[in-house]
Amino acid sequence: ILNVEQSPQSLHVQEGDSTNFTCSFPSSNFYALHWYRWETAKSPEALFVMTLNGDEKKKGRISATLNTKEGYSYLYIKGSQPEDSATYLCAHRTDRGSTLGRLYFGRGTQLTVWP
Amino acid sequence: KAGVTQTPRYLIKTRGQQVTLSCSPISGHRSVSWYQQTPGQGLQFLFEYFSETQRNKGNFPGRFSGRQFSNSRSEMNVSTLELGDSALYLCASTPDRVDTGELFFGEGSRLTVL
């Protein structure tokens, strides 16, 4: 069983605050790190998939970094808005090639942004 | 393009019964995987199917099974239901591209076992 840890478990911020979350994962046999955003009553949606050490990805006000040597990834949200309220999941994949679907998920960080 | 569709969305069963959940992937996706989420736990991998073949299976008892049809639609079955099987079951489909492996999820089937 691969342990993917996310912190904090929950976070409450005011609109306009910037925030960040951490995902730690085993650094051996790394293949990819995924971030998903999961709003209540909806389906999880992929934010980023990162594969290379030092990767930095950005989508609007959200960005992520990856350090595969030490086994962590950060997700940053700049100027949080109420619509950013969701659970943010990270997931680690070691397989390559034949098994595309298996990911090891953390328990998520639940973000609430107050107006 | 239609997303991943799961049916039923909600269902209530009693202990000892069995249940079948259905998943229709995004058109053109041939890989379907299933995950279970219980309160306080992260998504736990159940199994993955590709071209009607199970390629990977998580650490769940044999009461959990699945299959995939030639049109890529998938079903999972849980027999002899236990209270602990109450959970949200998510299905995800994957494009065939190896480089991303991004999962496209359905909204889930919420099973309550009484």
Side-chain angles (χ1 to χ4, degrees), chain A residues 25 30-34 49-57 64-69 72-73 93 96, chain B residues 99:
Chain A
F25 53 87
F30 175 85
Y31 183 66
L33 192 285
H34 295 217
V49 177
M50 296 183 286
T51 58
L52 298 177
N53 185 44
D55 250 356
E56 292 188 25
K57 299 231 174 176
T65 61
L66 178 66
N67 183 321
T68 61
K69 296 188 185 305
Y72 64 84
S73 175
R93 182 156 75 88
R96 58 180 74 198
Chain B
D99 58 346

Side-chain angles (χ1 to χ4, degrees), chain A residues 10-64:
Chain A
S10 65
L11 196 55
H12 296 255
V13 301
Q14 288 292 129
E15 182 176 356
D17 288 350
S18 293
T19 186
N20 64 86
F21 323 134
T22 303
C23 172
S24 62
F25 53 87
S27 55
S28 59
N29 301 317
F30 175 85
Y31 183 66
L33 192 285
H34 295 217
W35 282 100
Y36 290 85
R37 168 193 161 91
W38 193 1
E39 291 182 72
T40 303
K42 295 187 177 180
S43 55
E45 291 185 350
L47 287 171
F48 306 113
V49 177
M50 296 183 286
T51 58
L52 298 177
N53 185 44
D55 250 356
E56 292 188 25
K57 299 231 174 176
K58 186 175 181 181
K59 184 182 291 187
R61 294 178 292 98
I62 305 177
S63 61

Side-chain angles (χ1 to χ4, degrees), chain A residues 1 31-32 34 36 38 41-44 46 49 51 89 93 95-103 105-107, chain B residues 33 35 37 40-43 45 48 55-59 88 90 94-98 100-103 105-107:
Chain A
I1 296 177
Y31 183 66
H34 295 217
Y36 290 85
W38 193 1
K42 295 187 177 180
S43 55
V49 177
T51 58
L89 303 174
R93 182 156 75 88
D95 303 334
R96 58 180 74 198
S98 62
T99 52
L100 297 175
R102 181 165 192 167
L103 290 173
F105 281 85
R107 296 183 182 184
Chain B
S33 52
Y35 288 81
Q37 188 193 41
Q41 298 295 317
L43 298 180
F45 175 80
E48 186 216 348
R55 296 202 296 186
N56 207 338
K57 189 175 192 301
N59 297 322
L88 179 68
L90 287 170
T94 312
D96 289 339
R97 299 190 305 271
V98 177
T100 65
E102 171 187 345
L103 299 187
F105 284 93
E107 293 182 328

Side-chain angles (χ1 to χ4, degrees), chain B:
Chain B
K1 199 174 196 181
V4 177
T5 303
Q6 291 189 243
T7 57
R9 292 290 313 281
Y10 302 90
L11 66 167
I12 300 173
K13 294 285 187 178
T14 57
R15 280 182 299 174
Q17 287 186 311
Q18 73 163 12
V19 66
T20 299
L21 308 178
S22 178
C23 172
S24 294
I26 290 173
S27 177
H29 288 192
R30 291 191 291 162
S31 174
V32 173
S33 52
W34 290 88
Y35 288 81
Q36 180 199 63
Q37 188 193 41
T38 51
Q41 298 295 317
L43 298 180
Q44 300 293 315
F45 175 80
L46 281 156
F47 25 65
E48 186 216 348
Y49 290 86
F50 181 83
S51 292
E52 302 179 66
T53 301
Q54 185 181 88
R55 296 202 296 186
N56 207 338
K57 189 175 192 301
N59 297 322
F60 280 82
R63 301 184 297 106
F64 291 81
S65 63
R67 58 178 175 169
Q68 187 180 34
F69 302 95
S70 59
N71 62 357
S72 294
R73 189 177 71 86
S74 176
E75 289 181 348
M76 67 163 281
N77 184 78
V78 187
S79 61
T80 319
L81 285 166
E82 301 177 359
L83 295 179
D85 298 332
S86 294
L88 179 68
Y89 292 87
L90 287 170
C91 164
S93 70
T94 312
D96 289 339
R97 299 190 305 271
V98 177
D99 58 346
T100 65
E102 171 187 345
L103 299 187
F104 294 82
F105 284 93
E107 293 182 328
S109 293
R110 185 166 294 281
L111 170 65
T112 301
V113 182
L114 302 176

